[in-house]
Amino acid sequence: MRFLKFLTLALFLAFVACSSHKTGRKVRLALNLQEGQTYKLKSNATQTMQQTVHNMKQKITTSIKGVMSFYVKERQNDKFIIDLTYNKLQFKLTAPRAVISFNSEDSNKTDNIYDRIYSQFIGKKFTMIIDRYGKVDTVQGLDALGKSIINGLELKNPMLKAQLVEDFKGMFGNKSLKSSLELLTCFFPKKPVHIGESWSNTIDLSSAFPATFNNTWKLTDFDSTQAIIKGNALIESMNGGAPMRIGNMAISYDVQGNQTSEIHIQPKSGWILFAKINSHVTGTIKVEKNTQLPNGLNIPFDLRTEADYQSL
């Protein structure tokens, strides 16, 4: 009996020792990209928007697939200056009265205005500045690139040209891509952590709709080949839903939702090996009374996004 008690105690202590060894080791997780190296990421995202305008329900579905290259041009202390390039791009937007599509592997159809625009977009460089914790300082050059391409088409209708520029900025402009990239990359802890440890950060999203993502992250596993980080976020109105001026209209966004993430990274470089991010946001877009809308307008919406990313 005494032997059994001793054996049980020995096994328990061995288990505790092994567990504490794995959870107790603190590791530094951060971007450590090398100058002159190119990192590639394949993405696949689908977004479904259900909204109600003037008591009419609308469904807008957007799917975007792409391969992007990240060339590390320079490292300045804890920041990386990166040349970005889309190598492949495929998207389709389906709305009640419109379908917009493009595929870089089947482009140059002169009867499709979007093929004429985005076929020139593929392979063009633009710049991102990102710090070691994944916070994106700026994305530069995309707005100017889109405007230059569209101006080069010599379209006779100025309203069409202006709309195409806004469409480009909405899907791939500086603000839009900055938000998309930061939601993907800004998860690194500011200090070393051990397996099972959690940390938090906050990200303000300015494109699409203004919202704040209150994130909680957790290192769930770590070895020499990968670190696995899981995240949960509560999504709420940015700045308490205060109205924003867009042209001559005041628009406010009342939003709430959640997001889940699972991200696998290469421990040494911090580069994403695989990531899956799902979000669900509901709310109301409120347009205050103005000369065009004397009664104002409320647009309830329901937005679901599923995205996955893989290193190439």
Side-chain angles (χ1 to χ4, degrees):
M1 182 68 69
R2 185 174 298 173
F3 173 75
L4 289 176
K5 288 182 178 179
F6 175 77
L7 180 60
T8 301
L9 178 62
L11 290 173
F12 173 75
L13 292 174
F15 172 78
V16 170
C18 291
S19 300
S20 63
H21 174 74
K22 188 171 185 180
T23 59
R25 178 192 173 197
K26 287 187 177 271
V27 293
R28 167 71 72 180
L29 304 174
L31 284 174
N32 185 31
L33 307 178
Q34 301 302 304
E35 282 191 21
Q37 293 293 314
T38 298
Y39 302 82
K40 289 190 175 184
L41 204 60
K42 180 172 71 172
S43 61
N44 182 4
T46 300
Q47 190 175 78
T48 303
M49 166 80 90
Q50 304 267 9
Q51 62 183 23
T52 303
V53 183
H54 296 302
N55 295 319
M56 295 182 62
K57 292 185 177 181
Q58 299 177 346
K59 181 179 179 180
I60 302 171
T61 303
T62 306
S63 63
I64 301 177
K65 299 179 182 180
V67 174
M68 185 181 289
S69 291
F70 298 70
Y71 172 74
V72 185
K73 188 175 181 180
E74 186 179 353
R75 178 169 184 169
Q76 296 180 348
N77 298 320
D78 284 343
K79 294 187 177 182
F80 304 89
I81 301 174
I82 296 176
D83 282 342
L84 301 180
T85 307
Y86 271 100
N87 305 119
K88 294 181 181 180
L89 180 63
Q90 177 183 344
F91 67 80
K92 185 174 184 179
L93 184 151
T94 304
R97 290 184 293 275
V99 176
I100 300 172
S101 64
F102 170 75
N103 187 343
S104 63
E105 297 186 314
D106 185 24
S107 61
N108 298 317
K109 299 174 184 175
T110 55
D111 59 332
N112 185 331
I113 188 67
Y114 296 99
D115 281 308
R116 294 171 62 192
I117 295 170
Y118 289 97
S119 61
Q120 297 184 58
F121 175 48
I122 301 300
K124 296 291 195 305
K125 292 181 182 178
F126 47 99
T127 303
M128 173 179 73
I129 300 176
I130 186 172
D131 70 18
R132 66 181 306 198
Y133 302 111
K135 181 172 177 55
V136 180
D137 285 359
T138 59
V139 172
Q140 304 169 348
L142 271 170
D143 290 354
L145 175 58
K147 188 174 182 179
S148 174
I149 292 172
I150 293 165
N151 284 338
L153 298 178
E154 299 181 354
L155 300 173
K156 295 180 180 180
N157 186 333
M159 293 183 64
L160 174 60
K161 182 184 292 187
Q163 185 59 54
L164 289 170
V165 170
E166 289 305 308
D167 289 346
F168 184 96
K169 289 168 64 176
M171 294 183 71
F172 300 104
N174 294 335
K175 288 178 63 177
S176 176
L177 191 62
K178 178 183 183 298
S179 295
S180 298
L181 289 172
E182 192 160 82
L183 286 177
L184 172 64
T185 61
C186 192
F187 56 83
F188 292 98
K190 296 293 181 70
K191 61 180 182 179
V193 294
H194 57 68
I195 293 174
E197 187 171 353
S198 298
W199 64 96
S200 60
N201 70 354
T202 299
I203 300 173
D204 287 331
L205 177 76
S206 58
S207 70
F209 54 84
T212 296
F213 288 67
N214 298 300
N215 299 288
T216 300
W217 306 98
K218 185 176 183 179
L219 177 62
T220 61
D221 205 357
F222 179 90
D223 60 28
S224 61
T225 61
Q226 67 175 352
I228 301 176
I229 298 162
K230 293 185 178 181
N232 288 284
L234 292 177
I235 305 170
E236 60 185 10
S237 303
M238 191 167 70
N239 299 324
M244 302 171 57
R245 299 297 305 186
I246 301 177
N248 65 340
M249 294 187 294
I251 302 177
S252 60
Y253 298 80
D254 177 19
V255 302
Q256 55 279 319
N258 58 79
Q259 177 171 280
T260 60
S261 307
E262 180 173 331
I263 303 171
H264 299 220
I265 65 170
Q266 203 282 330
K268 185 176 180 180
S269 67
W271 185 247
I272 292 172
L273 300 173
F274 168 81
K276 188 174 185 62
I277 301 175
N278 295 332
S279 65
H280 181 207
V281 180
T282 60
T284 304
I285 303 170
K286 301 177 181 179
V287 183
E288 295 186 2
K289 297 178 181 179
N290 58 70
T291 54
Q292 294 175 315
L293 294 168
N295 296 319
L297 181 64
N298 288 345
I299 306 174
F301 71 89
D302 185 298
L303 178 65
R304 294 180 183 270
T305 304
E306 296 181 358
D308 57 72
Y309 304 83
Q310 185 176 346
S311 177
L312 296 179

